[in-house]
Structure formats: C-alpha cells, structure tokens
Amino acid sequence: MKKRVIVSACILGEYCRYDGKTKEIHSVKEALKEYDIIPFCPEAPLFGTPRERINVLEINGEKRIVTDETNKDVTELLKEEINTFIQLHPKVERIILKSKSPSCGYGTTPLLNEKKETIKLGSGIAAELMNKYYKDVKIEDELNFMKHNPNDLN
Ligand code: SF4
C-alpha cells in the first residue's frame, strides 16, 4: 500500500482559491509520485469559488475566522469541515499545505486584530487542527518546493 500525503488542492492545480485562481506547482505531483495524494480544500466546498476572502483575527487571545467584507464568523463551519476531512483520513504520512492561507498556512498566515491590522504571523485553522491531530507528521508547505523550482509557480 502506498503512503498517503495530504496536499492543498490549489497547489495541485485546482482552481479553488478565493479569487478563482490556482497556485499550481508542477513539481509537487512529480515529487509525490510514490504517494497516494489526498487533495484538501476546506473553503471551496463551503463557500464556493470565487468567494469572499477570509481573515484570521485574534480577539482576546482567541482565533476567529471572519469574512473580509461582511464580517461573518465562519470559524465553526470551517472546523466542522476540517474535522470531517480528518476523520475520513485518520492516517497519513505527509502533509503539504499552501503557505499564508487563513486555512492552510502553517506559521506563515497573517493574524489580524479587530481593526484588521496584521499583528503577527501564525497558523491557519486547518494547519492548526491537523497539527493537533496528526501529531507525528511534520507539516510542510509549498515554499520548500519553490526553493528547488523557483520558476514553478503560476
Ligand atoms: S490555500 Fe487551502 S483553503 Fe485556500 S484555496 Fe488552497 S487548498 Fe483551499
């Protein structure tokens, strides 16, 4: 049986970003040909594509995911979507997520205050939940691949 890797779907070439675009990195699939690739995108099934941008706000020490213009708190919706995905894929050997995303970013996502000013970098909600659940799997991002293939990003 092949090893399994979760990969952010936009890196794999799906047009699932909030702006309707992809962030495909062609070298990822080649680098992962010995794995079963499990595409992951929690936002597109919930909110459609294109969709309103979301942000990670830190309010009184608690992270909330809030839509950019309509200020709707979608934290619980996203948590449910991500937890369902994790339950469907309880064991994986590798995780590669898109950097800087409010869902997928791992240590690279801007965290905003209530005035929507960036206060620091942290993790998106999916990276955070996966980090808790898949304790023995180190989360990587596409920046590792771009270091070796600097011209590979659309
Ligand atoms: S970064 Fe994550 S949530 Fe955003 S489009 Fe890519 S896979 Fe979907």
Side-chain angles (χ1 to χ4, degrees), residues 23-55:
K23 279 286 181 184
E24 182 170 16
I25 299 176
H26 300 283
S27 56
V28 165
K29 282 187 196 161
E30 176 63 21
L32 298 174
K33 63 185 176 201
E34 286 167 17
Y35 287 79
D36 267 337
I37 298 176
I38 306 166
F40 169 71
C41 179
E43 295 180 27
L46 282 175
F47 311 124
T49 305
R51 58 186 169 273
E52 187 178 351
R53 186 197 284 264
I54 56 176
N55 296 310

Side-chain angles (χ1 to χ4, degrees), residues 57-119:
L57 269 55
E58 197 171 86
I59 303 169
N60 300 327
E62 191 192 350
K63 277 186 195 167
R64 304 302 299 177
I65 315 299
V66 179
T67 57
D68 193 43
E69 287 168 22
T70 53
N71 281 319
K72 191 174 161 204
D73 188 324
V74 292
T75 313
E76 300 310 319
L77 274 176
L78 273 164
K79 275 188 183 170
E80 200 179 318
E81 181 76 18
I82 296 157
N83 283 327
T84 299
F85 176 90
I86 290 173
Q87 282 162 21
L88 285 172
H89 306 286
K91 187 161 174 15
V92 302
E93 281 71 31
R94 225 170 145 182
I95 301 171
I96 301 167
L97 298 178
K98 173 75 186 71
S99 65
K100 302 176 188 169
S101 150
S103 294
C104 294
Y106 184 58
T108 55
T109 301
L111 304 188
L112 313 184
N113 61 17
E114 283 174 274
K115 291 182 195 160
K116 298 197 176 156
E117 299 159 335
T118 301
I119 45 176

